[in-house]
Amino acid sequence: MAKIQEMATVLEQTILAESVYSMWLATNVAKEAAAGQFVSLYCGEGSRLLPRPISICQIDTDRNAIRLVYRLAGKGTKEFSKLQTDEQVRILGPLGNGFPLEGQHPIVIGGGIGVPPMLELAKQLKQDSTIVLGYRDDQLFLKEQFESYGQVEIATDDGSVGLHGTVVDVLRQKNVTGDVIYACGPKPMLAAVKKFAEEKGIKCYISMEERMACGIGACLGCVCQTKEVDAHSHVHNARVCKDGPVFLAEEVEL
Amino acid sequence: MAKIQEMATVLEQTILAESVYSMWLATNVAKEAAAGQFVSLYCGEGSRLLPRPISICQIDTDRNAIRLVYRLAGKGTKEFSKLQTDEQVRILGPLGNGFPLEGQHPIVIGGGIGVPPMLELAKQLKQDSTIVLGYRDDQLFLKEQFESYGQVEIATDDGSVGLHGTVVDVLRQKNVTGDVIYACGPKPMLAAVKKFAEEKGIKCYISMEERMACGIGACLGCVCQTKEVDAHSHVHNARVCKDGPVFLAEEVEL
Amino acid sequence: MNTQVNLAGVTLKNPVMVASGTFGSGAEYSEFVDLNRLGAVVTKGVANVPWPGNATPRVAEVRSGMLNAIGLQNPGIDVFCQRDLPFLEGYDTKVIVNVCGKTTADYLEVVECLGQEKRVDMLEINISCPNVKEGGIAFGQDPKAVEAITKEVKKHAKQPVIMKLSPNVTDITEMARAAEAGGADVLSLINTLTGMKIDINRQTFALANKTGGMSGPAVHPIAVRMVYQVAQAVKLPIIGMGGIENAEDAIEMILAGATAVSVGTANFYNPMATLEIADGIEDYMKRMHVENVQDLIGAVH
Amino acid sequence: MNTQVNLAGVTLKNPVMVASGTFGSGAEYSEFVDLNRLGAVVTKGVANVPWPGNATPRVAEVRSGMLNAIGLQNPGIDVFCQRDLPFLEGYDTKVIVNVCGKTTADYLEVVECLGQEKRVDMLEINISCPNVKEGGIAFGQDPKAVEAITKEVKKHAKQPVIMKLSPNVTDITEMARAAEAGGADVLSLINTLTGMKIDINRQTFALANKTGGMSGPAVHPIAVRMVYQVAQAVKLPIIGMGGIENAEDAIEMILAGATAVSVGTANFYNPMATLEIADGIEDYMKRMHVENVQDLIGAVH
Ligand SMILES: Cc1cc2nc3c(=O)[nH]c(=O)nc-3n(C[C@H](O)[C@H](O)[C@H](O)COP(=O)(O)OP(=O)(O)OC[C@H]3O[C@@H](n4cnc5c(N)ncnc54)[C@H](O)[C@@H]3O)c2cc1C
Ligand SMILES: Cc1cc2nc3c(=O)[nH]c(=O)nc-3n(C[C@H](O)[C@H](O)[C@H](O)COP(=O)(O)OP(=O)(O)OC[C@H]3O[C@@H](n4cnc5c(N)ncnc54)[C@H](O)[C@@H]3O)c2cc1C
Ligand SMILES: Cc1cc2nc3c(=O)[nH]c(=O)nc-3n(C[C@H](O)[C@H](O)[C@H](O)COP(=O)(O)O)c2cc1C
Ligand SMILES: Cc1cc2nc3c(=O)[nH]c(=O)nc-3n(C[C@H](O)[C@H](O)[C@H](O)COP(=O)(O)O)c2cc1C
Ligand code: FES
Ligand code: FES
């Protein structure tokens, strides 16, 4: 999976929900990308230097394009949200390891802005997946698309749609079972999912997030704590951008 | 002459000669502007903070627009040169004092990128002006327009058009006479014009250039040396942006 | 909502001031900014006699900032008192006069003079200008010198004294403590960081003075760090400055420990910066349900 | 055209190196950059034993720059010699190993170890890291300490020794002279400037470590100034760094007095930066009719 640094061209930009944007980019990154990997986007504004890591939400090899779904968080994502069709943005990717495709009955879990990276995974699993999605409120996004790939359960923080609670509440209340868990979302959610998986003895992959500078494993900015001494670093640290973002839940400290 | 700070809209951008651009901007600055004044343009790129002072080349009160003619010099002017019709640029102006309209037989002198600011002046003088323009080579610009406002003489550094030499060579060889001189151009040219004016006893106004930060007289970045103690500064310094850019030649040290 | 802050007994209507040397004496910017809305106006440094300053070019652009080597050009204290102070008479804002000198005696002469001026609320003593050969920074890089000049100034000053510190030091807290020991009422920081730019095409220095003081957003993280360190080290109120261009920058500085903030270079590229910042602080207070701006001072530690 | 430069007897094919800690040991960037085209690769700081570094967040963006508080995470000298050095074996470039430690003994242990490694052309001694509690900058802010550690290292080093200086000092020339007195062969500067960022929405420090080292284009004017000052003060060759992102920045540094330059933060946002800079220096030499890059060193003074 060679990394590509190039100017990607915006094919389409749409708003999915309040502050949530979807952007299709024509880029050779599509040729190399796997579910669970991410890209670094760079700002046009010259005073903002660091990458904005964004997960790959969909890969369309026919169009040589990838889809990014992102939430407005600060100045970088705001800049991206203003990009129009045919405009360009600098991209580096694909980055990180991605999800391994395993199991017969996967449980795919996404929370908040952790929902988008699970879409390509759900598509590629081609298994009898249970998909559990957590949202803040009724500003759902991508739900319909997930429905093509498995049984979708919804939880919302405010109870406006689906279960009033968290994705783990769904897992417990609906007695969701499976032989492998994939999860992406905020840290407290990942911690709860990890605990659930341990209890049930289910193998569990989680996708982590950390502030990045290089995005390719050189700066040691983006580490997360590991249970054992990491093979590369020789300390209890693994690089989210290179050794992750996907880790076996049991291997990292949350 | 109130100063206006606003986003100006590009009406038209054209290339006049190698690296020389002409840009018409729709802006309320037009309402207040006088010949010889300038504006500060600001970059969109957030790491470039200081103003780019550009002289007003033409004022069109009907269209509420001004024309700027500028040479590519660095990153700022490069950015401006890429602006397309309907795009915007931040502007502050009009700035400085401008040329007083005097005399019966004015001599209007422009050298290099000092040519553009003389156009609006030549237009407003409505007198029997002699206009002497100096260029590097045959990449002339604005010459035709000047021809509507007086007798135009050309000098080029390489002799490709008009007289092979400087504007002062033209003044001497063609025995140009008049009762007031207005000049803008590189410092050595201004010094030679000043000397010529002194010799002939002609009143002489010159437009000066200096690096600027505020553009409105507050930072004292853009001073030029004055012959006498300056009334504002109480030292031998006058502010080009506020007390100038137009000075009586005899008042400043070149 | 209460936006008032207190600097050594002087109450500012809000924490937003302007940085010395970037705002003249207010006249030029009064066309853009209602001076009545500022916590204080800090004037350009003034000496006992007129100073011509350095040769040009005096300013240069650098990424997210600028260099200046004005060299403290000023018309001298007499003109200042006759012309600039009366202009400020008409406004409901505090007036802080920035004072420079080549020798201690120079500083004291100005301080004495200003003691008679009712319109002057506070004095800011610039011992940190990197652009002059004598005086300036020479007083500000050695704790003994800082303490000594602070003591002298305090002896002669009628108004509360702000000592303005240089960031071009190994340990800013050492200078802060020295100023405190000398009796300073308030500290302000940072002055500019010494920088240099070379024009590679003309193969010459961008500034006639070779070096200049760097200011603007590029220096903001250094300023925040120093304000934080000083806030931990001394009890004096701090005026924080360095690269503040928007409300977020100003609030960062306040959270780090500044009681008030000064806006400098940002005025040059956004004449309305101070007002936008004052408004932005109020918006933030509303959003965060903060009743009193003083509750934000040093809230992150 | 001759782009070779000489650092204490070591000849670099061109003056473009990478800055320690921004390029790993070269493996990650070798996907983008032909390492054979670099004057030298400078590796991430290595200590006698593995260091875990600081808690996250370890990096934050600031205008035209970044803060880092990695805290010198490294796998220790043994892994470094077994894994990272052999990787560099295959490349025709000079290898400079950056050395860190908590105590003088730590430094010396690493220096001794590296003495046996043929692949190592030079040692860069980091006495200027602002992100660790012990060692690092503590050695670099006091001239006596600088001289002492330089002397010790020189006693044990088999390769030429580069002392890497901190910009967080009042007078950089004092540190440079101390390193020279201690017997340093080369100086490199600048390491990062201590900065801070506060997240005003979460009201917390952006970095777990509170402060971090600032790097990137924002610090370039300060780096150029310090390189210039040091070039005037000592006879040693200088490796200039701090905010170099393009050929213009690199040439500025060379004109100010640097014999070679290191590119750091720019790698993060432009993995090809070093090659573009090497090409750009050649273009400049052509344009200015400079036959030998050495003629540019310190040409503006
Ligand atoms: C592996 C990975 C995958 C991600 N995938 C997505 C995604 O698919 N959709 C999405 O909306 N967001 C995603 N994020 C979060 C996204 O990177 C941030 O929201 C974004 O960088 C914010 O940039 P900004 O300029 O708008 O915010 P600012 O706060 O202005 O950014 C300032 C700096 O902080 C960094 N930063 C801010 N928030 C984060 C964060 N949460 N994680 C990492 N760096 C951050 C920025 O990259 C930048 O360097 C992902 C993060 C990681 C690490
Ligand atoms: C009163 C006045 C009127 C001017 N009128 C015109 C005009 O009508 N047409 C035109 O082409 N040029 C004019 N100039 C020159 C013009 O300001 C510069 O060419 C322009 O600022 C260069 O910006 P840059 O970003 O392209 O160059 P850079 O070199 O990248 O600019 C870096 C910094 O230096 C400043 N700078 C660079 N060159 C000059 C210069 N010659 N004078 C002042 N500041 C400079 C820039 O404003 C900027 O702050 C005028 C200058 C002044 C002072
Ligand atoms: C053009 C200019 C002139 C300055 N003159 C003075 C001065 O006279 N006295 C002083 O104490 N500081 C002076 N300063 C420093 C500023 O007051 C301020 O400390 C510094 O610029 C950092 O703030 P900023 O980044 O917001 O500009 C000057 C700064 C600039 C840019
Ligand atoms: C993420 C990061 C890690 C760094 N690690 C080291 C290090 O291990 N040893 C060292 O001497 N300098 C280290 N530095 C400092 C750089 O080598 C360099 O001196 C500094 O970043 C200035 O250059 P730049 O602006 O080009 O990045 C590090 C810098 C960064 C940004
Ligand atoms: S971001 Fe540099 S190692 Fe991960
Ligand atoms: S540019 Fe500030 S006084 Fe002229």
Side-chain angles (χ1 to χ4, degrees):
Chain A
M1 287 185 296
K3 297 184 193 73
I4 288 149
Q5 209 236 136
E6 63 177 17
M7 297 304 293
T9 305
V10 177
L11 296 174
E12 193 193 326
Q13 170 114 255
T14 52
I15 304 185
L16 298 188
E18 207 192 304
S19 300
V20 179
Y21 288 73
S22 163
M23 181 161 67
W24 275 100
L25 292 176
T27 165
N28 291 311
V29 170
K31 290 196 182 72
E32 309 279 340
Q37 288 192 296
F38 68 98
V39 297
S40 281
L41 286 195
Y42 293 87
C43 295
E45 160 69 74
S47 66
R48 287 197 282 279
L49 304 177
L50 296 188
R52 273 56 185 170
I54 307 282
S55 297
I56 296 171
C57 169
Q58 267 182 274
I59 304 164
D60 183 340
T61 41
D62 295 344
R63 286 202 298 167
N64 204 31
I66 60 171
R67 183 190 197 184
L68 307 178
V69 171
Y70 60 96
R71 171 169 278 149
L72 288 192
K75 287 179 184 155
T77 45
K78 184 142 194 194
E79 186 187 311
F80 303 145
S81 72
K82 298 208 167 126
L83 289 171
Q84 315 225 314
T85 303
D86 291 335
E87 289 192 318
Q88 296 204 304
V89 59
R90 201 148 59 81
I91 191 173
L92 172 65
L95 303 175
N97 56 1
F99 290 109
L101 302 179
E102 294 178 5
Q104 298 304 315
H105 301 285
I107 309 172
V108 174
I109 305 172
I113 204 62
V115 167
M118 310 317 282
L119 186 59
E120 181 66 27
L121 174 72
K123 188 178 95 191
Q124 291 191 11
L125 282 170
K126 290 183 192 127
Q127 307 290 354
D128 179 19
S129 305
T130 308
I131 299 164
V132 187
L133 306 177
Y135 299 92
R136 286 184 197 165
D137 49 33
D138 62 359
Q139 294 277 321
L140 308 190
F141 47 89
L142 300 176
K143 173 173 165 281
E144 280 77 29
Q145 285 196 262
F146 275 100
E147 282 166 350
S148 333
Y149 306 128
Q151 161 83 16
V152 174
E153 305 287 346
I154 304 288
T156 53
D157 293 345
D158 67 354
S160 54
V161 185
L163 192 112
H164 189 166
T166 67
V167 292
V168 180
D169 294 333
V170 171
L171 294 176
R172 294 193 193 280
Q173 292 187 24
K174 305 235 165 178
N175 273 319
V176 176
T177 53
D179 53 2
V180 58
I181 292 177
Y182 300 98
C184 185
K187 236 182 196 170
M189 180 198 109
L190 294 182
V193 168
K194 176 181 173 176
K195 192 158 156 269
F196 174 85
E198 268 164 16
E199 276 171 37
K200 306 283 178 182
I202 309 176
K203 195 170 184 182
C204 177
Y205 290 100
I206 57 176
S207 181
M208 304 277 287
E209 211 178 275
E210 194 43 76
R211 305 283 158 144
M212 297 185 177
C214 71
I216 63 168
C219 76
L220 308 182
C222 67
V223 297
C224 64
Q225 239 186 298
T226 54
K227 203 163 158 238
E228 310 293 334
V229 167
D230 174 70
H232 176 83
S233 70
H234 287 258
V235 292
H236 290 259
N237 275 338
R239 297 162 298 179
V240 170
C241 70
K242 172 117 180 173
D243 308 314
V246 177
F247 293 94
L248 264 177
E250 66 203 34
E251 289 178 351
V252 294
E253 307 282 353
L254 283 171
Chain B
M1 287 186 294
K3 296 183 195 75
I4 288 149
Q5 208 236 137
E6 63 177 16
M7 297 304 294
T9 305
V10 177
L11 295 174
E12 193 192 326
Q13 170 113 254
T14 52
I15 304 185
L16 298 188
E18 207 191 303
S19 301
V20 178
Y21 288 73
S22 163
M23 181 161 66
W24 275 101
L25 293 175
T27 165
N28 291 312
V29 170
K31 290 197 180 69
E32 310 278 340
Q37 287 192 297
F38 68 97
V39 297
S40 281
L41 287 194
Y42 293 87
C43 294
E45 161 69 72
S47 65
R48 288 198 281 279
L49 304 176
L50 295 187
R52 272 59 184 170
I54 307 282
S55 297
I56 296 170
C57 169
Q58 268 182 274
I59 305 164
D60 182 341
T61 40
D62 295 344
R63 286 202 297 168
N64 202 31
I66 60 171
R67 183 189 196 183
L68 307 178
V69 171
Y70 60 96
R71 172 169 276 150
L72 288 193
K75 287 178 184 155
T77 46
K78 183 143 195 191
E79 187 188 310
F80 303 145
S81 73
K82 298 207 167 128
L83 289 172
Q84 315 225 315
T85 304
D86 290 338
E87 290 191 318
Q88 296 203 304
V89 59
R90 201 148 59 80
I91 192 172
L92 172 66
L95 303 175
N97 55 0
F99 290 108
L101 303 179
E102 294 178 5
Q104 298 305 315
H105 302 286
I107 309 174
V108 174
I109 306 171
I113 205 64
V115 167
M118 309 317 281
L119 186 60
E120 181 65 28
L121 174 71
K123 187 178 97 193
Q124 291 190 12
L125 281 170
K126 290 183 193 128
Q127 307 288 357
D128 181 19
S129 303
T130 308
I131 298 164
V132 186
L133 306 177
Y135 298 92
R136 286 185 197 164
D137 48 34
D138 62 359
Q139 292 278 321
L140 308 191
F141 46 89
L142 300 176
K143 174 173 164 281
E144 278 77 29
Q145 284 195 263
F146 275 100
E147 282 165 350
S148 333
Y149 306 127
Q151 161 83 15
V152 175
E153 305 287 347
I154 304 288
T156 54
D157 293 344
D158 68 354
S160 53
V161 185
L163 192 111
H164 189 165
T166 68
V167 291
V168 180
D169 294 333
V170 172
L171 294 176
R172 294 195 192 277
Q173 293 187 24
K174 305 235 164 178
N175 273 318
V176 175
T177 52
D179 53 3
V180 58
I181 293 177
Y182 300 98
C184 184
K187 236 182 195 169
M189 180 198 109
L190 294 182
V193 169
K194 176 180 173 177
K195 192 158 157 270
F196 173 85
E198 268 163 16
E199 275 171 38
K200 306 283 178 184
I202 310 175
K203 193 169 186 185
C204 177
Y205 291 99
I206 57 177
S207 179
M208 303 278 287
E209 209 178 276
E210 194 43 75
R211 304 283 158 144
M212 297 186 176
C214 71
I216 64 170
C219 76
L220 308 182
C222 67
V223 298
C224 64
Q225 239 185 298
T226 54
K227 203 164 159 237
E228 309 293 333
V229 167
D230 173 70
H232 176 84
S233 71
H234 287 256
V235 292
H236 289 259
N237 276 338
R239 297 162 298 177
V240 170
C241 71
K242 172 119 181 170
D243 308 314
V246 177
F247 293 93
L248 264 176
E250 66 203 35
E251 289 179 351
V252 293
E253 307 281 353
L254 284 171
Chain C
M1 187 159 42
N2 180 5
T3 59
Q4 286 186 353
V5 294
N6 185 295
L7 290 174
V10 178
T11 301
L12 275 56
K13 61 175 70 159
N14 66 45
V16 182
M17 332 189 341
V18 294
S20 175
T22 66
F23 209 74
S25 293
E28 288 82 10
Y29 280 99
S30 65
E31 203 174 317
F32 301 96
V33 175
D34 177 2
L35 303 185
N36 298 306
R37 293 212 39 219
L38 298 179
V41 167
V42 185
T43 63
K44 171 76 185 161
V46 62
N48 52 336
V49 292
W51 287 12
N54 293 321
T56 57
R58 289 178 172 187
V59 293
E61 188 180 66
V62 296
R63 273 154 300 188
S64 293
M66 64 175 284
L67 301 176
N68 91 78
I70 308 296
L72 295 175
Q73 178 185 325
N74 77 88
I77 185 67
D78 294 344
V79 174
F80 179 81
C81 290
Q82 282 151 33
R83 179 184 64 193
D84 298 346
L85 276 183
F87 165 79
L88 287 165
E89 204 65 64
Y91 294 98
D92 175 24
T93 186
K94 299 299 170 190
V95 172
I96 300 176
V97 178
N98 184 278
V99 177
C100 56
K102 293 194 169 78
T103 63
T104 306
D106 289 356
Y107 283 101
L108 297 183
E109 197 180 328
V110 180
V111 166
E112 291 274 3
C113 244
L114 290 169
Q116 287 141 38
E117 297 288 344
K118 292 232 175 57
R119 189 63 193 93
V120 177
D121 297 291
M122 305 181 86
L123 309 178
E124 182 181 58
I125 312 300
N126 179 4
I127 50 166
S128 44
C129 180
N131 299 323
V132 291
K133 291 221 165 45
E134 306 154 272
I137 207 168
F139 286 101
Q141 288 183 323
D142 168 19
K144 285 197 206 80
V146 171
E147 183 172 344
I149 187 149
T150 308
K151 265 201 187 124
E152 281 302 314
V153 168
K154 274 301 288 179
K155 253 188 243 161
H156 295 77
K158 293 272 185 308
Q159 294 96 340
V161 168
I162 306 165
M163 296 305 290
K164 182 159 180 183
L165 304 182
S166 168
N168 299 295
V169 296
T170 306
D171 182 359
I172 188 84
T173 63
E174 207 186 354
M175 305 303 151
R177 274 187 289 253
E180 188 175 48
D185 300 294
V186 179
L187 300 177
S188 73
L189 59 146
I190 57 173
N191 209 316
T192 53
L193 274 149
T194 310
M196 175 182 281
K197 182 173 173 174
I198 290 174
D199 181 327
I200 68 163
N201 295 312
R202 298 189 301 127
Q203 296 203 346
T204 159
F205 299 99
L207 298 174
N209 190 52
K210 295 189 183 181
T211 59
M214 185 157 115
S215 61
V219 309
H220 188 252
I222 297 168
V224 172
R225 183 260 296 183
M226 290 190 168
V227 165
Y228 175 80
Q229 289 178 323
V230 170
Q232 305 305 306
V234 300
K235 295 216 171 58
L236 302 179
I238 298 167
I239 303 167
M241 73 198 80
I244 295 175
E245 66 174 1
N246 56 37
E248 196 176 327
D249 298 334
I251 294 161
E252 241 189 283
M253 208 65 107
I254 294 169
L255 292 172
T259 295
V261 296
S262 285
V263 179
T265 303
N267 294 304
F268 299 158
Y269 54 94
N270 178 8
M272 263 79 95
T274 43
L275 301 190
E276 291 173 11
I277 291 168
D279 289 343
I281 292 175
E282 291 193 18
D283 292 345
Y284 177 81
M285 288 170 66
K286 269 181 217 139
R287 186 153 57 81
M288 305 296 274
H289 308 289
V290 174
E291 190 40 50
N292 194 327
V293 77
Q294 294 176 45
D295 296 340
L296 294 174
I297 301 168
V300 174
H301 52 254
Chain D
M1 188 160 40
N2 181 6
T3 59
Q4 286 185 355
V5 294
N6 185 294
L7 289 175
V10 178
T11 301
L12 275 54
K13 61 176 69 161
N14 67 45
V16 183
M17 330 190 341
V18 294
S20 176
T22 66
F23 209 74
S25 293
E28 289 81 11
Y29 279 101
S30 65
E31 203 176 317
F32 301 96
V33 175
D34 177 0
L35 302 185
N36 298 305
R37 291 210 44 218
L38 298 178
V41 167
V42 185
T43 63
K44 170 76 186 161
V46 62
N48 53 334
V49 293
W51 286 13
N54 292 322
T56 58
R58 290 179 172 186
V59 293
E61 188 179 68
V62 296
R63 274 153 299 187
S64 292
M66 63 174 284
L67 301 176
N68 91 79
I70 309 295
L72 294 176
Q73 178 186 326
N74 78 87
I77 185 67
D78 294 344
V79 173
F80 179 81
C81 290
Q82 283 150 32
R83 180 185 62 194
D84 297 346
L85 274 184
F87 165 79
L88 288 165
E89 203 66 64
Y91 294 98
D92 174 24
T93 186
K94 300 299 169 190
V95 172
I96 300 177
V97 178
N98 184 278
V99 177
C100 57
K102 293 194 169 79
T103 63
T104 306
D106 290 356
Y107 282 101
L108 297 182
E109 198 182 327
V110 180
V111 166
E112 291 273 2
C113 244
L114 290 169
Q116 289 141 37
E117 297 289 343
K118 293 233 175 58
R119 189 62 193 93
V120 178
D121 297 293
M122 304 181 88
L123 308 178
E124 182 180 58
I125 312 299
N126 179 4
I127 51 167
S128 43
C129 179
N131 299 323
V132 290
K133 292 220 164 46
E134 307 153 271
I137 208 169
F139 287 101
Q141 287 182 324
D142 168 20
K144 285 195 205 82
V146 171
E147 184 174 342
I149 188 152
T150 308
K151 265 201 186 127
E152 282 301 314
V153 168
K154 273 302 287 181
K155 254 188 240 162
H156 294 79
K158 293 272 185 310
Q159 293 96 342
V161 169
I162 307 164
M163 297 304 290
K164 183 159 179 183
L165 304 182
S166 169
N168 299 295
V169 295
T170 305
D171 182 358
I172 188 83
T173 64
E174 208 186 353
M175 305 302 151
R177 273 188 288 255
E180 187 175 47
D185 300 294
V186 179
L187 300 177
S188 72
L189 58 146
I190 58 174
N191 209 315
T192 53
L193 274 149
T194 310
M196 176 182 280
K197 181 174 173 173
I198 290 174
D199 180 329
I200 68 164
N201 295 312
R202 298 188 302 129
Q203 296 202 346
T204 159
F205 299 100
L207 298 174
N209 190 52
K210 295 188 182 180
T211 59
M214 185 158 116
S215 61
V219 310
H220 187 252
I222 297 168
V224 172
R225 182 260 295 184
M226 290 191 167
V227 164
Y228 176 81
Q229 288 179 324
V230 170
Q232 306 304 307
V234 300
K235 295 216 171 58
L236 304 179
I238 298 167
I239 303 168
M241 73 196 83
I244 296 175
E245 65 174 2
N246 56 36
E248 197 176 327
D249 297 333
I251 294 161
E252 241 189 283
M253 207 65 107
I254 294 169
L255 292 172
T259 295
V261 295
S262 285
V263 180
T265 303
N267 295 304
F268 299 158
Y269 55 93
N270 178 8
M272 261 80 94
T274 43
L275 301 191
E276 291 173 10
I277 291 168
D279 289 343
I281 292 175
E282 291 194 19
D283 292 345
Y284 177 81
M285 288 171 66
K286 270 181 217 140
R287 186 155 55 84
M288 304 296 273
H289 308 290
V290 174
E291 191 40 49
N292 194 327
V293 77
Q294 295 176 45
D295 296 340
L296 294 174
I297 301 169
V300 175
H301 51 254

